[in-house]
Amino acid sequence: MVDRLANSEANTRRISIVENCFGAAGQPLTIPGRVLIGEGVLTKLCRKKPKARQFFLFNDILVYGNIVIQKKKYNKQHIIPLENVTIDSIQDEGDLRNGWLIKTPTKSFAVYAATATEKSEWMNHINKCVSDLLSKSGKTPSNEHAAVWVPDSEATVCMRCQKAKFTPVNRRHHCRKCGFVVCGPCSEKRFLLPSQSSKPVRICDFCYDLLSTGEMTACQSTRSDSYSQSPKLSLNDVSDDDDDDEDSSD
């Protein structure tokens, strides 16, 4: 079916509409063989609170952006190559229901659908697209992914030293290797993680010590299911401002 739609006028028109919704700031999305599989609003768990984001699933990429005007205008376009994507289901907890993790070597995050059926459809379609891409390319699934950041609300004190309390002055930071919320003194060092950045990024002392001695796998976060233990947040508490997790200084 995807091959049949690839060069159809209807598919070309649908992709063109998505491009126009992102405006001049978005990257062109129309290329030969690309098909728009589906679209919808998902709740993305960001640093400070869950936020509504518009997602578009193509047969080779996943695109999402901030909602400026529903169905008419989006900004802050993000493009994720599906070849690098793996997904894992998340257990329901309070208002955070029907969720799964989207994991890539560059960035990983949690999203939530409105219903269990919608979640199942998204996950099935993503898995099918990834499987088809890997089958055609002969590549193996990615076994490396960036840590999923622990939301700010989960940590009132540094998750490494367990002593420093966070205040407006003593800010929260995130280790790019394990995703933990840490204080400044526990994350003064930087390390080059090529899959995430061309420059050294902030990591906690614990991960730095392991990375420096070559024990990289031991540094991987053990909190892949952290969102099944998240505090109960209201999914009505969403906004269309920028993603909090885009600030590289944190």
Side-chain angles (χ1 to χ4, degrees):
M1 181 179 178
V2 170
D3 292 337
R4 192 166 66 248
L5 289 172
N7 299 310
S8 70
E9 289 185 11
N11 178 64
T12 301
R13 186 166 58 251
R14 291 175 68 200
I15 296 179
S16 178
I17 291 173
V18 176
E19 283 185 344
N20 292 335
C21 286
F22 278 103
Q27 295 185 36
L29 298 173
T30 303
I31 65 169
R34 177 168 290 164
V35 175
L36 178 59
I37 305 296
E39 62 182 272
V41 176
L42 298 174
T43 297
K44 179 176 179 289
L45 198 59
C46 300
R47 278 190 57 204
K48 294 183 179 179
K49 58 185 177 181
K51 297 178 181 179
R53 296 288 182 256
Q54 182 74 26
F55 280 77
F56 301 91
L57 177 63
F58 297 83
N59 59 328
D60 62 334
I61 58 174
L62 182 66
V63 179
Y64 72 92
N66 295 13
I67 302 169
V68 180
I69 302 175
Q70 183 70 24
K71 295 293 184 181
K72 292 185 178 181
K73 186 177 180 182
Y74 313 109
N75 64 11
K76 301 294 182 181
Q77 183 191 70
H78 298 263
I79 299 177
I80 302 173
L82 285 178
E83 266 192 355
N84 299 326
V85 169
T86 56
I87 58 176
D88 289 326
S89 182
I90 305 172
Q91 293 182 1
D92 293 345
E93 179 67 29
D95 289 331
L96 296 175
R97 306 179 67 82
N98 311 313
W100 67 97
L101 297 178
I102 296 174
K103 302 187 294 185
T104 79
T106 304
K107 182 178 182 178
S108 302
F109 54 91
V111 293
Y112 296 85
T115 66
T117 299
E118 187 178 339
K119 170 186 173 177
S120 177
E121 290 177 349
W122 270 101
M123 293 189 70
N124 287 339
H125 284 307
I126 292 173
N127 276 327
K128 179 65 164 59
C129 289
V130 173
S131 176
D132 288 347
L133 283 171
L134 294 176
S135 177
K136 289 179 181 179
S137 67
K139 295 180 181 179
T140 57
S142 175
N143 58 5
E144 179 187 3
H145 59 82
V148 180
W149 284 18
V150 176
D152 286 359
S153 57
E154 280 201 30
T156 56
V157 299
C158 174
M159 297 178 70
R160 284 305 182 196
C161 69
Q162 299 292 323
K163 296 177 181 178
K165 293 184 178 181
F166 295 120
T167 67
V169 176
N170 187 29
R171 298 175 57 226
R172 292 171 171 84
H173 301 279
H174 277 84
C175 171
R176 298 307 196 271
K177 183 60 182 176
C178 66
F180 279 19
V181 184
V182 291
C183 64
C186 283
S187 59
E188 291 179 340
K189 298 181 177 66
R190 292 178 179 268
F191 200 92
L192 181 62
L193 301 177
S195 62
Q196 296 191 39
S197 175
S198 59
K199 299 178 180 180
V201 293
R202 180 189 293 272
I203 62 174
C204 67
D205 291 348
F206 177 78
C207 289
Y208 182 84
D209 290 342
L210 290 177
L211 286 165
S212 298
T213 56
E215 300 179 34
M216 295 185 69
T217 55
C219 188
Q220 186 64 44
S221 172
T222 58
R223 296 175 61 86
S224 61
D225 63 342
S226 62
Y227 297 110
S228 66
Q229 303 164 15
S230 295
K232 295 178 175 58
L233 302 174
S234 171
L235 294 186
N236 294 320
D237 185 21
V238 297
S239 65
D240 295 333
D241 55 348
D242 296 348
D243 281 357
D244 295 305
D245 53 356
E246 297 306 317
D247 185 354
S248 60
S249 65
D250 286 342

